[in-house]
Amino acid sequence: MTLPALNAIPLTRLIVVPSAITLLVTLMRLVGEVRHWWPALFNPAAGGGGALVGITWLVPIFGIYFALKLSRAGEGPVGVGKANGLAVLSVLILAAGSLVAIAPQVQFPGKQAVGLLLMVAATALPFKAWSALSKTLLMYGYAARIPVAIVMFFAIRGSWGTHYDALPPGFPEMSFWPKYLQIAVVPQLIFWVAFTVIVGVLFGSMATTLFGRRKAVPPSHW
């Protein structure tokens, strides 16, 4: 049985302000794309890659923030080296899962299911080294990405001309619900949540190695 840390931080309280900031950035990006502001800041192309206003950039920042807060409250990793190692391994598995799921060069029956299972496995690995941080990032990931999935629902319905409704090149014609599932629900609630946990733990554990006053704790059951 794992005893709670004396200065344990309620994880839901820890993510409130970061989640609010993330929501504001999402809304700012939506407005910027709808009003055709500077594309370098608000890229409306499919995927929106490289846009300087976006919530992806917040993941390493809040990963470090959560890690230092938890570490200083006595809810650090089992071992920083283990946390770093598993985070790097998770990045590789997540990349492999993404490649299997979406790369047209990879073709075999059930490839999407295999890719998604690899993403889920990659997300689970960091829990073995730093359960508190992984749980925090998982909750933050859903708090960040559920609003995006909601925005995408209306953007796809209304053809707003933003990256929230832009289709990847060569995307086949299909009805709304299969399209929404493939370009919104699965990417936002599986891939991007996995990315949030894995990249957040990677940056958080590296920051803890450099700056944190850490107290190792035994792994809790999740």
Side-chain angles (χ1 to χ4, degrees):
M1 178 179 178
T2 302
L3 296 177
L6 293 177
N7 300 316
I9 302 173
L11 302 186
T12 51
R13 190 176 71 190
L14 188 59
I15 70 167
V16 169
V17 172
S19 298
I21 293 170
T22 303
L23 179 58
L24 288 175
V25 173
T26 295
L27 297 176
M28 183 188 303
R29 179 165 189 176
L30 175 62
V31 171
E33 291 186 20
V34 169
R35 295 190 176 182
H36 307 292
W37 292 347
W38 191 23
L41 296 177
F42 306 95
N43 181 9
L52 296 179
V53 176
I55 64 176
T56 303
W57 310 114
L58 298 177
V59 172
I61 295 171
F62 288 136
I64 293 170
Y65 170 77
F66 294 144
L68 296 179
K69 282 280 191 180
L70 291 167
S71 183
R72 289 165 184 172
E75 296 186 76
V78 174
V80 174
K82 183 176 181 180
N84 284 326
L86 287 180
V88 171
L89 179 59
S90 296
V91 169
L92 298 176
I93 296 174
L94 179 63
S98 303
L99 181 66
V100 168
I102 67 174
Q105 299 87 351
V106 180
Q107 293 293 336
F108 60 87
K111 72 171 204 143
Q112 286 85 5
V114 172
L116 293 177
L117 286 174
L118 285 171
M119 293 180 199
V120 172
T123 308
L125 275 180
F127 283 86
K128 295 182 176 295
W130 199 341
S131 179
L133 178 58
S134 300
K135 288 178 183 178
T136 303
L137 285 162
L138 184 67
M139 291 189 295
Y140 166 71
Y142 279 112
R145 291 295 168 176
I146 287 174
V148 177
I150 294 171
V151 166
M152 292 182 76
F153 176 90
F154 293 105
I156 296 169
R157 279 287 195 191
S159 299
W160 289 353
T162 67
H163 92 281
Y164 296 107
D165 58 289
L167 298 177
F171 192 84
E173 287 292 328
M174 61 181 64
S175 60
F176 171 78
W177 285 108
K179 182 193 301 182
Y180 178 64
L181 180 67
Q182 289 191 40
I183 72 170
V185 174
V186 171
Q188 295 300 325
L189 303 187
I190 297 180
F191 172 79
W192 284 113
V193 171
F195 176 91
T196 299
V197 173
I198 293 164
V199 173
V201 170
L202 178 62
F203 277 83
S205 58
M206 289 191 298
T208 302
T209 302
L210 295 173
F211 308 115
R213 294 178 304 157
R214 56 195 180 275
K215 176 182 177 182
V217 296
S220 60
H221 296 291
W222 178 69

